[in-house]
């Protein structure tokens, strides 16, 4: 069986790592990189650190408005699919790269599998939400990370195509955490263990309006410990455009971190403040309290016992929320046991056998 993975944005490289390794020896695997993320720190460093084979194809589409970016990928991917002739296209998560690859596969009648299927925020303002819904409804095989995701797919009439496999980001996180036990990593900007918070902000709803971004930065600046703000390029460019200074009060600006450094920074922090889906989950799995600057989350399991708390419109409660008492210990494992990638490869091979392909 020949599987073609399509990736393009940072969280997808993390998800690709365990899949690439689990496929080895069991099926042929090709990788197409759309080039949605192209900076060294947003792309290459992940391939290097996580031991991902170099992409077989790179479209280099770069940034742009959503329609133009997605359209450029769609055109380029059609050519790649014609050349690669995969038995299955595997797409990851919810970015514009995911949607473009889903449409390209469906139009060419190539079976489509969606990894991280069934997540819902029920907020269609988020580009990720419509990308997910459209991709799920186009796909032939839905690889769901959680029971909640399985239920969402069933509610949308997609139960027959769904397989519960667990979460691949958990696979990578556990591997990197084990690595960090034997390898000391320095903390960025010389912050002291437990003496700082880790923060990332990049969602359009938080960055695109000058007043919203100003309020978020002011709230982070007023926190009681240094805030390592790991600045995504979108945040840097929009702050500049809005005439806002990132470095203010408690905020200490740091470039995006490579994955092992990120895990290390979160593990040693007093808490996380973010609008990222992946980081909320990583904080929960590492049992670090998280405050999420969004009105809802698709990773609802993280909200258990206040390990993750949502703060949205009323930012005046952010400082107290971040300082809240330590959550109740929990041994909940809603994201699987760190072996999702193997189950995904099993499901892909099984799907291929059943659908009558070699
Ligand atoms: C994308 C995903 C989002 C994911 C995020 C992770 C979509 C709709 N969104 O959002 O789900 O959580 O990636 O980071 O696909 N830029 C650079 N260098 C880069 C990449 C981006 O400078 O390597 C800048 C571009 O100028 C662009 C901005 O960042 O204006 C946004 O990039 P884009 O890939 O469109 O969306 P993200 O906000 O990164």
């Amino acid at each position: 069986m020949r599987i073609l993975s399509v990736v393009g944005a940072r969280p997808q490289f993390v998800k690709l790592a365990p899949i690439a390794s689990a496929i080895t020896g069991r099926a042929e695997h090709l990788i197409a990189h759309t080039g949605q993320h192209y900076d060294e720190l947003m792309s290459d460093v992940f391939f290097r650190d996580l031991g991902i084979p170099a992409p077989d194809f790179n479209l280099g589409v770069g940034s742009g408005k959503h329609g133009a970016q997605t359209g450029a990928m769609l055109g380029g991917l059609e050519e790649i699919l014609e050349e690669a002739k995969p038995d299955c296209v595997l797409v990851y998560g919810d970015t514009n790269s995911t949607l473009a690859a889903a449409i390209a596969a469906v139009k060419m009648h190539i079976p489509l599998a969606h990894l991280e299927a069934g997540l819902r925020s029920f907020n269609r303002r988020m580009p990720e939400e419509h990308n997910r819904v459209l991709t799920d409804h186009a796909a032939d095989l839905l690889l769901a990370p959680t029971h909640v995701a399985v239920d969402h797919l069933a509610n949308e009439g997609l139960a027959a195509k769904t397989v519960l496999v667990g979460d691949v980001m958990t696979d990578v996180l556990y591997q990197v955490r084990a690595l960090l036990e034997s390898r000391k990593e320095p903390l960025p900007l010389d912050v002291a263990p437990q003496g700082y918070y880790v923060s990332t902000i990049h969602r359009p709803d938080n960055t695109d309006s000058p007043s919203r971004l100003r309020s978020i930065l002011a709230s982070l600046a007023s926190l009681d410990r240094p805030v390592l703000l790991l600045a995504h390029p979108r945040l840097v460019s929009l702050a500049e455009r809005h005439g806002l200074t990132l470095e203010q009060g408690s905020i200490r600006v740091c470039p995006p971190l490579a994955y092992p450094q990120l895990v290390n920074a979160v593990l040693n922090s007093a808490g996380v403040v973010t609008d990222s889906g992946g980081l909320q989950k990583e904080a929960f799995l590492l049992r670090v309290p998280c405050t999420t600057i969004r009105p809802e989350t698709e990773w609802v399991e993280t909200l258990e016992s206040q390990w993750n708390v949502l703060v949205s419109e009323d930012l005046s409660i952010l400082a107290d929320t971040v300082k809240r008492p330590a959550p109740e210990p929990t041994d909940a494992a809603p994201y699987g046991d760190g072996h999702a990638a193997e189950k995904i490869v099993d499901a892909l091979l099984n799907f291929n056998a059943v659908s009558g392909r070699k």
Side-chain angles (χ1 to χ4, degrees), residues 11 36-39 42 63 69 95-96 128 202 232-234:
Q36 177 173 351
H37 286 177
Y38 42 85
D39 285 353
M42 298 294 286
S63 308
Q69 187 185 51
T95 71
N96 290 341
E128 294 79 6
H202 78 279
H232 187 292
R234 154 187 281 286

Side-chain angles (χ1 to χ4, degrees), residues 99-319:
L99 179 63
I103 299 172
V106 163
K107 291 212 172 281
M108 295 180 68
H109 314 294
I110 300 172
L112 173 70
H114 184 203
L115 183 154
E116 218 173 72
L119 292 183
R120 296 290 181 266
S121 65
F122 300 101
N123 174 359
R124 286 281 178 110
R125 277 186 55 81
M126 290 176 70
E128 294 79 6
E129 181 71 358
H130 48 254
N131 287 344
R132 285 180 197 124
V133 172
L134 293 167
T135 302
D136 281 341
H137 284 261
D140 304 288
L141 176 63
L142 296 162
L143 302 159
T146 61
H147 288 283
V148 173
V150 168
D151 290 346
H152 290 151
L153 292 167
N155 290 339
E156 294 175 27
L158 298 171
K161 297 176 178 178
T162 302
V163 183
L164 175 65
V165 286
D167 169 46
V168 279
M169 286 184 95
T170 304
D171 295 15
V172 200
L173 183 71
Y174 286 176
Q175 285 159 19
V176 169
R177 185 179 57 183
L179 205 85
L180 288 170
E181 277 163 19
S182 57
R183 187 175 96 186
K184 266 252 148 304
E185 284 283 345
L187 291 171
L189 307 181
D190 286 331
V191 286
Q194 305 306 318
Y196 65 96
Y197 301 117
V198 170
S199 183
T200 73
I201 299 293
H202 78 279
R203 299 231 161 259
D205 272 356
N206 285 335
T207 55
D208 293 8
S209 137
S211 61
R212 175 71 178 165
L213 184 56
R214 185 182 299 109
S215 312
I216 291 175
L217 291 173
S219 306
L220 292 176
S222 71
L223 295 185
D224 61 326
R225 299 171 203 234
V227 178
L228 272 188
L229 180 59
L230 310 177
H232 187 292
R234 154 187 281 286
L235 174 67
V236 175
S237 74
L238 282 160
E240 205 173 279
R241 194 183 312 161
H242 302 332
L244 299 170
T245 310
L246 292 179
E247 189 104 20
Q248 50 174 293
S250 299
I251 300 176
R252 305 190 49 195
V253 180
C254 185
L257 295 178
Y259 193 71
Q261 282 78 47
L262 171 78
V263 174
N264 188 49
V266 171
L267 255 177
N268 286 287
S269 73
V272 168
V273 186
T274 190
D275 59 7
S276 150
L279 193 51
Q280 284 168 57
K281 183 159 40 86
E282 283 151 352
F284 176 79
L285 291 165
L286 296 170
R287 300 298 190 256
V288 172
C290 181
T291 304
T292 296
I293 306 189
R294 277 182 50 192
E296 75 285 299
T297 177
E298 45 288 319
W299 299 108
V300 290
E301 302 82 1
T302 60
L303 300 173
E304 184 191 322
S305 312
Q306 300 216 312
W307 279 97
N308 185 19
V309 173
L310 303 175
V311 173
S312 179
E313 276 314 300
D314 184 10
L315 290 167
S316 69
I317 61 169
L318 187 78

